[in-house]
Amino acid sequence: MIKVSNLIFIIFGLLGFFLICCSFILAALNRKRYDEICILYKEKHGSLPEAITLFKDSDKNILNILYFNYGYAVKRQFIMMPILSNKNSIHMPDVDKEFIRGLPKRLIRPFLIEHYLAIIGAIFIVTGWAIMEVIQYFN
């Protein structure tokens, strides 16, 4: 028979794993939106920031799209830093953050959903593990 603590961890862990998988799928789907943002940025400013040009094709391989890929992280910072913190990425200090913040919601919202799904998924996994440890400690 499964202990209550293990069952809680399994439920929280599966839910967290599901949310993180959903964020990976959304990351793959966001590639078209990212390319569209790059085109719009290039049309307005003449060229993309150097870091974006360097890592533009870093997620061609599905295995490289994971959050551990440095190139993918740099590309995400191009969009997420101006939206979440109203600051530019340390890799791209000259990005027009007002341009990024002014993009249509249909382009920005999926990146925010991807970001929050990954965070909430990780929180579920850690919370499930913590609850399991607390229950086992008191038993």
Side-chain angles (χ1 to χ4, degrees), residues 43-61:
E43 285 175 358
K44 182 174 181 184
H45 298 287
S47 65
L48 291 170
E50 193 173 303
I52 296 301
T53 305
L54 181 64
F55 293 113
K56 181 131 174 62
D57 296 324
S58 68
D59 62 354
K60 289 276 187 190
N61 182 344

Side-chain angles (χ1 to χ4, degrees), residues 90-109:
I90 59 170
H91 305 289
M92 297 161 272
D94 57 341
V95 169
D96 182 1
K97 63 184 175 190
E98 294 307 318
F99 170 80
I100 300 294
R101 293 180 68 83
L103 287 169
K105 296 292 183 197
R106 70 173 180 80
L107 292 174
I108 298 301
R109 193 172 296 126

